[in-house]
Amino acid sequence: MGPNFHLKTLVVAVAAFSVASMSNAAGLDRSGQDITAFLQDGLYAEASYTYIDGDVSGEDASGNKVGDIAKSYDFFRYGVKTDINDTFSVGILYDEPFGAAADYVGNNNFVTNSDPDLLIQGFTRNPNLTEGLVDQNIDALRAALTPGNPDDLTAEELQQAQGQLISLEAAKGLAATAGEATQVEVRTESITGILGAKFGANKEFQAYGGPVAQRVRADVKLRGTAYSSATGYSTHISNDQDYGWIAGMSYSKPEIALKAALTYRSEIKHNAKAFETFPIATAAGATAGLALPTTRHTDIEIKTPESVNFDFQTGINPTTLATAKVRWVPWSDFAITPSLYNEVSTANPAYRPDGLSLVSYDDDQWAVELGLAKRLTPALAVSGNVGWDSGAGDPVTSLGPIEGYYSVGLGAKYNVTENWAVSAGGKYLWFGDAKGKTPTQDIVSNFEDNDGYVLGVKLSYQAQ
């Protein structure tokens, strides 16, 4: 008879893994959408906190230094699960699955010149124009274009005055962004309800599924010469909540501490409100014969991607556990396409008829994490893991210039009482080198030799 690795002797070890695991860099992935809290035996509850800090620096296309653009961020995860009887289980999970946080600083092509007069002169190609003169000229042109104005204008003069007014108002809008930097912040929150049903001769199989409620919001600013005529563009995407679903299948063999689970999450389609500001929109539209405003408040559709997670663990001996996680996310299907930005892009014949998206990715994400956990005493266990993330393509959007990562992590778990435990872990990340590109596919930056770290802590309760 083979050795018995009953799960109860190893559960002290495995929970240390999920504290700082699967904190991904591809696309907008963050939490890895872990559901292992639901796969625990008996009554189980956990609350975890994760802090991520990366150093993502490089240079722009002109060779100027770009300092660390990666803003540190943190997020929480909560989960509770209980068995109704020996067949049915229910659980609720909260996490923050997707997000981004970047802020350019310094003297480079992603920061707008702090002198508004220089911005005006660069846009109008008039070295003598100043902010004060622009205001005066705008007032004069508006007066000249007022209906009933005693100065009669010919059709040609009227058209010329209207064009000048549009150009000066665009220049004034750009001047208002003086000294501002490119920024992006995206945050999401999800609550997942799960119902599971066990079946099989020994209840070794479990089918599970349920609804997912998700909220998303975002802010993006494009600044500096890197974005050419799109500099000065901003969008605020208001909070929107929508719904998807989760489904999966698991298998367990407690005598060798084996558990395997395959989980699918659907995409979630959000119909949010976006407020866009684009100083040159009217000027660009006039050039192409399009009537475009400089601001727009309208609907935007964002589909957060579907995903597949595979979680596996098995006992190697009565005190050692091996684990594996694999995750797939089709980021190549994802895009953020604000209405006004998209329409302005069609002013350039090269981008007709579909226009450009503000954010998109070329490749799908694959992430793999392998680990070992060792129970040192009845109350203490340690763990280690290594990971790889493919990234979502290179070149990649300049709002997140990383091509995946390699990682190594350590964790520990201590059982304070029979039911309560505290876990802590950390992970070091080696980010893949990447070139940043704009939506027009221009290569505008190069980021190399970057790294980061992840720290996490978790409090858990289990009663079987």
Side-chain angles (χ1 to χ4, degrees), residues 303-388:
K303 295 180 182 179
T304 55
E306 62 184 340
S307 64
V308 176
N309 281 22
F310 177 68
D311 296 278
F312 177 83
Q313 68 172 55
T314 187
I316 297 176
N317 59 49
T319 61
T320 307
L321 193 74
T323 66
K325 293 175 178 285
V326 180
R327 177 168 168 81
W328 171 77
V329 185
W331 285 108
S332 60
D333 295 335
F334 174 83
I336 298 177
T337 311
S339 170
L340 182 56
Y341 181 89
N342 178 259
E343 282 195 50
V344 172
S345 70
T346 63
N348 185 332
Y351 307 127
R352 297 174 188 166
D354 297 327
L356 298 174
S357 295
L358 181 61
V359 177
S360 62
Y361 298 95
D362 294 332
D363 296 340
D364 296 344
Q365 171 197 7
W366 285 93
V368 179
E369 187 172 276
L370 305 175
L372 287 174
K374 177 71 175 180
R375 181 166 62 90
L376 301 180
T377 72
L380 177 65
V382 296
S383 63
N385 57 63
V386 295
W388 167 78

Side-chain angles (χ1 to χ4, degrees), residues 183-205:
Q183 296 176 330
V184 59
E185 182 169 9
V186 180
R187 299 208 74 148
T188 61
E189 300 172 277
S190 291
I191 296 178
T192 303
I194 308 180
L195 173 65
K198 297 178 181 177
F199 61 96
N202 299 307
K203 304 288 187 181
E204 66 270 30
F205 294 97

Side-chain angles (χ1 to χ4, degrees), residues 19-42:
V19 177
S21 67
M22 286 293 183
S23 298
N24 301 299
L28 304 177
D29 219 10
R30 277 193 171 173
S31 73
Q33 298 180 296
D34 183 71
I35 67 141
T36 53
F38 178 76
L39 302 177
Q40 303 302 314
D41 291 334

Side-chain angles (χ1 to χ4, degrees), residues 130-211:
T130 64
E131 195 170 13
L133 287 175
V134 165
D135 288 335
Q136 293 176 21
N137 289 340
I138 286 176
D139 291 341
L141 286 167
R142 284 176 176 169
L145 293 169
T146 300
N149 182 50
D151 294 329
D152 293 329
L153 298 177
T154 66
E156 183 179 348
E157 289 172 334
L158 180 64
Q159 184 178 16
Q160 184 179 21
Q162 289 172 333
Q164 290 174 347
L165 180 60
I166 289 172
S167 178
L168 289 175
E169 287 180 334
K172 183 176 180 179
L174 287 175
T177 69
E180 295 183 354
T182 298
Q183 296 176 330
V184 59
E185 182 169 9
V186 180
R187 299 208 74 148
T188 61
E189 300 172 277
S190 291
I191 296 178
T192 303
I194 308 180
L195 173 65
K198 297 178 181 177
F199 61 96
N202 299 307
K203 304 288 187 181
E204 66 270 30
F205 294 97
Q206 180 178 215
Y208 53 87

Side-chain angles (χ1 to χ4, degrees), residues 226-462:
Y227 297 101
S228 188
S229 59
T231 184
Y233 174 82
S234 300
T235 183
H236 169 70
I237 299 174
S238 302
N239 270 323
D240 178 76
Q241 181 170 304
D242 228 301
Y243 303 91
W245 52 274
I246 184 175
M249 181 77 71
S250 67
Y251 171 80
S252 66
K253 191 172 184 180
E255 57 269 25
I256 59 170
L258 187 150
K259 283 187 175 183
L262 187 66
T263 306
Y264 172 82
R265 285 180 179 268
S266 72
E267 71 175 21
I268 298 179
K269 183 171 72 173
H270 294 269
N271 288 296
K273 290 293 185 181
F275 179 75
E276 300 175 79
T277 303
F278 205 159
I280 70 143
T282 303
T287 302
L290 303 172
L292 295 175
T294 56
T295 63
R296 179 176 288 176
H297 189 203
T298 189
D299 294 336
I300 182 173
E301 182 179 280
I302 299 176
K303 295 180 182 179
T304 55
E306 62 184 340
S307 64
V308 176
N309 281 22
F310 177 68
D311 296 278
F312 177 83
Q313 68 172 55
T314 187
I316 297 176
N317 59 49
T319 61
T320 307
L321 193 74
T323 66
K325 293 175 178 285
V326 180
R327 177 168 168 81
W328 171 77
V329 185
W331 285 108
S332 60
D333 295 335
F334 174 83
I336 298 177
T337 311
S339 170
L340 182 56
Y341 181 89
N342 178 259
E343 282 195 50
V344 172
S345 70
T346 63
N348 185 332
Y351 307 127
R352 297 174 188 166
D354 297 327
L356 298 174
S357 295
L358 181 61
V359 177
S360 62
Y361 298 95
D362 294 332
D363 296 340
D364 296 344
Q365 171 197 7
W366 285 93
V368 179
E369 187 172 276
L370 305 175
L372 287 174
K374 177 71 175 180
R375 181 166 62 90
L376 301 180
T377 72
L380 177 65
V382 296
S383 63
N385 57 63
V386 295
W388 167 78
D389 187 297
S390 68
D394 180 29
V396 69
T397 172
S398 58
L399 301 178
I402 293 172
E403 189 191 15
Y405 64 76
Y406 289 95
S407 69
V408 59
L410 294 173
K413 180 186 177 187
Y414 182 75
N415 275 24
V416 181
T417 69
E418 181 180 356
N419 303 117
W420 289 95
V422 176
S423 305
K427 179 189 289 186
Y428 183 77
L429 310 172
W430 291 270
F431 295 132
D433 298 343
K435 290 180 170 57
K437 66 177 180 179
T438 63
T440 59
Q441 304 301 307
D442 294 321
I443 305 301
V444 292
S445 60
N446 186 37
F447 287 76
E448 297 179 340
D449 301 325
N450 292 309
D451 58 9
Y453 64 89
V454 184
L455 300 174
V457 63
K458 176 166 67 179
L459 178 66
S460 60
Y461 175 88
Q462 186 164 28

